[in-house]
Amino acid sequence: MSVKPHLKSLKPYPPGKTIEEFKKELSISGKIYKMNSNENPLGPSPKVLNVLRDSLSQINYYPEASYKELKSALAKKWDVLPEQIILGNGSNEIIDFLFKALIDSHEEIIISKPSFLMYEKFAQIYGVKIKTIPLTKKLTHNFNKILKSITKKTKIIFLDHPHNPSGSVLNRESWEEFLEKIPPHVLIVIDEAYGDFIEDPSIPLGIEFLKKGYKVLILRTFSKAFGLAGLRLGYGITFLELSKVLDLVRQPFNINILAYKAGLAVLEDKEYIEKSINLVKEGRKYLTDELKNLGFKVYPSQANFIMVDFGEKVEFLYEQLLKRGFLLRPLKAYGFPKALRISIGLPEENEAFIKNLKDILNVLS
Ligand SMILES: Cc1ncc(COP(=O)(O)O)c(C=O)c1O
């Protein structure tokens, strides 16, 4: 047996470790502050938990195959047709569908470097060429350079917005100017995994551009503001010609019955969603202000995390915080060796983080 040659250099995705993994590794028995994977710190919606309890007795059955109800609920939320929604086992799976349905191995994708790692990962799996464009100095997507690097072979441009790991965003004028110049053979994927946390009104959502007729696909997830990361549920919204094809390449029952029921339930739990979003907005401001007061560079973020430059002390601070139970994401692999990404926690978790950081800094001085 021999594997496809282009897969030989494939490396595994580096996931944020779980609480159990860390407890074991570090022999920590106290509280673990999980601030490394941009999950929802509130825990799941209580309404979801009730629905899941009731649904457990049905897991011997396949789910309803067309996922009509969830597609309709999402279509209503975004004011589009249910047929324009494509559901995935996490929004990651929609990225997979795009490669399956659209890209031949002689074609290429364009991504920013760094950005969400899965665009690159899927391109490697499918043996597709990747063009990487460095971010601007402000750590935003470099639209000018991206436009210049489009060729006849370019099939998809993946843009996480807000960007991961910086949390950066771009305003309406920049997006419009960019989209106007995109040739018709190129699809723009606007990945709004963190779109729910955008607070600045000058920042547009992709849906606006889809409705104006631009050839875009918007990625959305239930993993962040909706608190269902462990169940894996995401979706794409796009124009009919594309959504139909994407729906054809998915395996039947790609959304499991619990994820499906939970998705329907959380969409109705407006109170939970609002609470999740407000928690992030308030925590983001608190952490940004406190860290800036301590003299660290905090990149402006519209996501549920912040990227912080800790300078030369970064490794020491990371290790010391880890010993105290704070799990953060080092950004060396993303090209920022002095920075850490911190997911926004509950108010008491954010306060505990700042208190512990101050204690460590005091010992240092
Ligand atoms: C930019 C971005 N897109 C997509 C995802 C994946 O989301 P999902 O859990 O829906 O697969 C993530 C996860 O962290 C992300 O950061």
Side-chain angles (χ1 to χ4, degrees):
M1 187 212 73
S2 64
V3 298
K4 294 177 181 176
H6 72 268
L7 292 180
K8 286 189 179 149
S9 55
L10 201 63
K11 294 196 186 79
Y13 174 76
K17 289 188 181 168
T18 64
I19 291 180
E20 288 70 28
E21 281 173 315
F22 267 109
K23 278 197 162 173
K24 232 186 205 169
E25 250 173 51
L26 301 165
S27 315
I28 295 177
S29 53
K31 180 169 164 60
I32 295 279
Y33 298 81
K34 194 165 183 324
M35 299 167 107
N36 62 341
S37 292
N38 307 336
E39 294 138 330
N40 191 322
L42 261 186
S45 143
K47 292 200 172 117
V48 165
L49 291 180
N50 283 338
V51 167
L52 288 179
R53 269 182 218 109
D54 293 345
S55 307
L56 284 176
S57 61
Q58 296 165 32
I59 61 167
N60 53 319
Y61 296 121
Y62 289 110
E64 186 271 311
S66 71
Y67 301 121
K68 203 161 66 191
E69 238 184 300
L70 184 53
K71 283 188 175 184
S72 297
L74 290 168
K76 196 167 157 216
K77 174 178 161 75
W78 294 105
D79 191 23
V80 295
L81 297 170
E83 296 76 20
Q84 288 180 266
I85 307 283
I86 168 87
L87 297 175
N89 191 260
S91 55
N92 274 344
E93 201 189 17
I94 313 286
I95 305 174
D96 190 9
F97 295 161
L98 286 166
F99 278 91
K100 260 190 194 145
L102 298 186
I103 312 186
D104 284 327
S105 53
H106 67 277
E107 294 172 324
E108 58 192 32
I109 63 159
I110 301 179
I111 58 171
S112 294
K113 188 99 180 171
S115 60
F116 180 49
L117 290 178
M118 288 311 293
Y119 315 137
E120 197 172 336
K121 190 62 63 193
F122 278 118
Q124 287 162 355
I125 291 170
Y126 285 91
V128 167
K129 194 174 163 218
I130 312 163
K131 258 192 192 161
T132 56
I133 309 298
L135 298 170
T136 63
K137 279 200 183 111
K138 287 185 171 170
L139 305 193
T140 57
H141 296 294
N142 194 329
F143 280 168
N144 285 337
K145 287 222 168 102
I146 290 175
L147 284 170
K148 281 191 193 127
S149 65
I150 295 174
T151 67
K152 280 189 190 133
K153 288 184 181 170
T154 309
K155 209 60 190 273
I156 304 184
I157 302 175
F158 287 95
L159 298 164
D160 40 4
H161 188 250
H163 171 258
N164 183 6
S166 74
S168 74
V169 284
L170 284 151
N171 67 21
R172 187 166 281 107
E173 289 82 43
S174 310
W175 273 100
E176 269 173 0
E177 214 179 289
F178 172 71
L179 290 171
E180 271 302 312
K181 293 181 185 147
I182 299 295
H185 66 282
V186 177
L187 174 74
I188 303 296
V189 172
I190 307 176
D191 182 349
E192 292 180 352
Y194 306 102
D196 295 299
F197 307 112
I198 296 177
E199 202 169 9
D200 179 344
S202 72
I203 307 305
L205 292 182
I207 193 75
E208 184 178 319
F209 302 121
L210 180 68
K211 287 185 180 170
K212 281 185 182 160
Y214 292 107
K215 294 283 179 256
V216 296
L217 179 139
I218 300 132
L219 285 177
R220 284 264 161 178
T221 180
F222 282 79
S223 300
K224 314 292 172 184
F226 294 75
L228 298 181
L231 282 180
R232 314 300 299 124
L233 183 62
Y235 59 101
I237 320 169
T238 192
F239 46 99
L240 281 176
E241 188 194 349
L242 179 58
S243 56
K244 276 187 193 156
V245 182
L246 297 179
D247 209 39
L248 288 173
V249 300
R250 72 174 176 88
Q251 60 156 316
F253 316 118
N254 63 323
I255 310 302
N256 72 70
I257 199 163
L258 297 180
Y260 182 62
K261 300 263 181 185
L264 276 169
V266 74
L267 278 177
E268 285 184 2
D269 195 350
K270 303 268 187 288
E271 199 185 319
Y272 170 83
I273 299 167
E274 205 182 306
K275 199 169 164 188
S276 301
I277 294 172
N278 286 337
L279 193 96
V280 165
K281 290 180 181 168
E282 283 157 24
R284 186 169 66 194
K285 180 165 182 348
Y286 167 79
L287 284 176
T288 302
D289 291 348
E290 290 286 331
L291 286 160
K292 275 188 181 168
N293 285 341
L294 289 171
F296 298 114
K297 181 172 170 62
V298 184
Y299 291 86
S301 167
Q302 291 283 292
N304 65 347
F305 54 83
I306 49 172
M307 174 172 155
V308 186
D309 191 334
F310 287 99
E312 302 305 326
K313 299 188 192 99
V314 67
E315 273 179 41
F316 176 77
L317 293 177
Y318 174 77
E319 292 300 331
Q320 291 301 311
L321 285 160
L322 193 57
K323 279 187 192 154
R324 292 165 182 243
F326 292 90
L327 311 187
L328 310 173
R329 180 65 73 104
L331 294 179
K332 201 173 178 177
Y334 287 81
F336 302 110
K338 292 178 182 164
L340 300 175
R341 195 187 66 193
I342 306 166
S343 305
I344 311 300
L346 297 170
E348 57 271 28
E349 293 173 326
N350 301 332
E351 282 161 25
F353 171 76
I354 294 295
K355 185 187 172 306
N356 277 273
L357 179 62
K358 281 182 180 166
D359 289 350
I360 297 166
L361 291 169
N362 277 341
V363 173
L364 258 187
S365 58

